[in-house]
Amino acid sequence: MTTRRRSAAVTLAAVGLLMGPVGAGAGAAYAWDAAAPTAPVPAATVPAPTPNPAASDEFAQLTPAVTRQLDTAIKQVLAEAKIPGVIVSVSAPGKGDYVRSFGVADKATGAPMTPNLNMRIGSVTKTFTVTALLELVDEGKVGLDDPIGKYVDGVPNGDRITLRELAGMRSGLFNYSADEGFYKAFTSNPDRPFTPQELLAYSFEHPVLFEPNAKFSYCNTNLILLGLVVEKVSGVPLDTFVDREVVEPAGLKHTLFPTGPEFPAPHAQGYTDQTASGKVETSTDWNPSWAWAAGAMISDLSDLRSWAKTLATGTLLTPATQAQRLDVVDALPGTGYGLGIFNVQGWIGHNGSLPGYGSLVLYLPEAKATLVVLLNTDIGYQGQEPSTLVGEAITKIVTPDRVYTLPAQPAS
């Protein structure tokens, strides 16, 4: 989901910068972190993929021939979509390990992309924020069916919107990153900090889109509220709680929840057209506070390979809570959304996008396979998120019966 300003479907993208208008935390073109409000989808339970004893055989052996196919397919996507650079990892037990980087990390110097670079991960941040919330659920400190009004004042329908509906993108609240005023404020000064309260104010100026739990609509506002819940209940800043209770227990060494524009080296330069001029600019050091709990985090390939499995298997949660997290409802064709997590043709995880960066973190339980894609642009191609293009190209080769795909949507 990105934070880009696109059509409703784009709102499903990973966290983009403006989650709609810009691309902070939300996603564009059916990227789960999109900034624009997604078209509401009626509730309908999506059945979990039927276990297949031979599922591991459906994941291709990563032989030299398959490796060459992957190299060719990824390079073709980069060339067609004009993606500066990408880092990719595909692996499954007994099938091999494919780790590659293509293109450049810096267009000015020509420095190549390398697998060890730190990257902004956009809406994949949502998976950390919701995990933090669910840990508090396991501790009995909050309930998923608590109304948000119990923790945050002034929320439209706050007495009826539950934490579960916020995490599942079914609140009906307006997506702040789709607000014209927010987009103008952000693009006119992308270095400025935003507070959670400022972000919520952009949302609350608009009427609710629908009654709680009536429909699905990807919305960064939901995550800002959940971040505030974590802070109020835990008594510490969200970044501190996520680092102490999620990042460290998960064994992640290069994952950071920044409080400002800090960006540890080495990192790739990011390129976006979500700018005041509409021209492509370097967004590397823009302040991601506008995405906060929805899309501000930083990580690297090694950590995200590990996080993909931790997230999908529920290592940090009780089995009962993880089961609720994975109880997805229909969001898009072939795609279900649970609690801060999606299921696309059996691949479980999240995508992310914010100005200059894109990410995709997936796990296929049947094959115990992991797929991670990191890019240094959020500029779409023919209405699709760059991460979707790369993910689709890869899964067509390694899991042809489970192709990761999100319908193309025109940019607005």
Side-chain angles (χ1 to χ4, degrees):
M1 316 308 229
T2 83
T3 328
R4 218 175 226 290
R5 182 179 189 72
R6 304 185 181 178
S7 71
V10 172
T11 311
L12 288 181
V15 170
L17 206 270
L18 298 173
M19 307 295 278
V22 176
Y30 276 89
W32 284 94
D33 276 349
T38 16
V41 180
T45 300
V46 175
T50 303
N52 182 350
S56 61
D57 294 332
E58 296 175 1
F59 190 94
Q61 191 76 34
L62 298 175
T63 62
V66 170
T67 294
R68 287 192 293 272
Q69 290 181 52
L70 289 170
D71 288 348
T72 298
I74 295 169
K75 289 177 182 178
Q76 183 175 345
V77 171
L78 263 63
E80 291 180 353
K82 296 181 172 56
I83 297 170
V86 65
I87 304 168
V88 174
S89 172
V90 187
S91 62
K95 300 296 183 176
D97 199 11
Y98 174 92
V99 178
R100 291 283 195 281
S101 58
F102 301 92
V104 298
D106 188 329
K107 294 196 290 185
T109 66
M113 286 289 268
T114 55
N116 67 324
L117 296 177
N118 293 304
M119 302 287 281
R120 297 193 186 278
I121 61 174
S123 282
V124 173
T125 301
K126 290 180 173 69
T127 65
F128 289 88
T129 300
V130 174
T131 297
L133 175 76
L134 295 177
E135 288 180 336
L136 293 174
V137 170
D138 277 340
E139 293 172 11
K141 295 180 179 179
V142 300
L144 281 172
D145 296 314
D146 290 347
I148 184 59
K150 178 179 179 180
Y151 305 97
V152 182
D153 294 331
V155 181
N157 281 344
D159 60 333
R160 295 186 291 129
I161 296 172
T162 67
L163 305 188
R164 186 190 305 275
E165 289 158 355
L166 291 169
M169 301 298 175
R170 306 184 67 80
S171 71
L173 295 172
F174 184 86
N175 191 348
Y176 71 84
S177 53
D179 178 82
E180 294 290 346
F182 167 74
Y183 185 71
K184 183 177 180 179
F186 173 76
T187 56
S188 63
N189 183 12
D191 298 324
R192 65 163 285 185
F194 285 88
T195 66
Q197 291 72 25
E198 288 175 321
L199 300 175
L200 292 178
Y202 287 111
S203 170
F204 297 169
E205 289 178 353
H206 300 265
V208 296
L209 304 178
F210 50 82
E211 288 297 297
N213 202 39
K215 302 174 183 178
F216 173 93
S217 183
Y218 194 84
C219 176
N220 292 318
T221 304
N222 297 340
L223 270 291
I224 303 303
L225 289 167
L226 292 181
L228 290 174
V229 172
V230 173
E231 288 196 333
K232 182 169 186 176
V233 175
S234 69
V236 299
L238 178 62
D239 59 285
T240 300
F241 188 87
V242 168
D243 181 63
R244 186 182 70 199
E245 304 297 337
V246 182
V247 172
E248 289 185 11
L252 309 181
K253 305 300 183 183
H254 304 101
T255 299
L256 168 71
F257 197 132
T259 56
E262 61 266 27
F263 198 171
H267 58 249
Q269 300 297 309
Y271 304 95
T272 187
D273 60 359
Q274 293 195 70
T275 60
S277 67
K279 297 179 180 179
V280 176
E281 295 179 10
T282 302
S283 59
T284 312
D285 298 315
W286 288 3
N287 192 327
S289 62
W290 65 268
W292 195 50
M297 290 180 69
I298 295 165
S299 191
D300 70 356
L301 185 71
S302 177
D303 274 8
L304 293 175
R305 280 162 51 103
S306 175
W307 179 243
K309 182 178 180 179
T310 297
L311 175 66
T313 60
T315 304
L316 301 180
L317 305 173
T318 64
T321 296
Q322 179 68 2
Q324 292 186 75
R325 173 173 224 167
L326 297 181
D327 185 14
V328 301
V329 296
D330 198 14
L332 294 171
T335 301
Y337 201 84
L339 302 181
I341 198 168
F342 64 47
N343 183 322
V344 181
Q345 303 298 335
W347 287 96
I348 296 172
H350 217 288
N351 63 352
S353 171
L354 77 170
Y357 298 90
S359 59
L360 185 61
V361 178
L362 302 174
Y363 186 76
L364 184 64
E366 295 166 326
K368 298 181 179 179
T370 300
L371 169 59
V372 177
V373 176
L374 297 168
L375 311 99
N376 59 343
T377 188
D378 65 311
I379 301 173
Y381 176 70
Q382 295 184 348
Q384 287 189 312
E385 283 291 306
S387 63
T388 298
L389 296 171
V390 177
E392 183 174 3
I394 291 170
T395 53
K396 281 182 177 178
I397 295 170
V398 299
T399 54
D401 293 330
R402 294 195 180 278
V403 176
Y404 173 83
T405 182
L406 292 170
Q409 294 296 313
S412 64

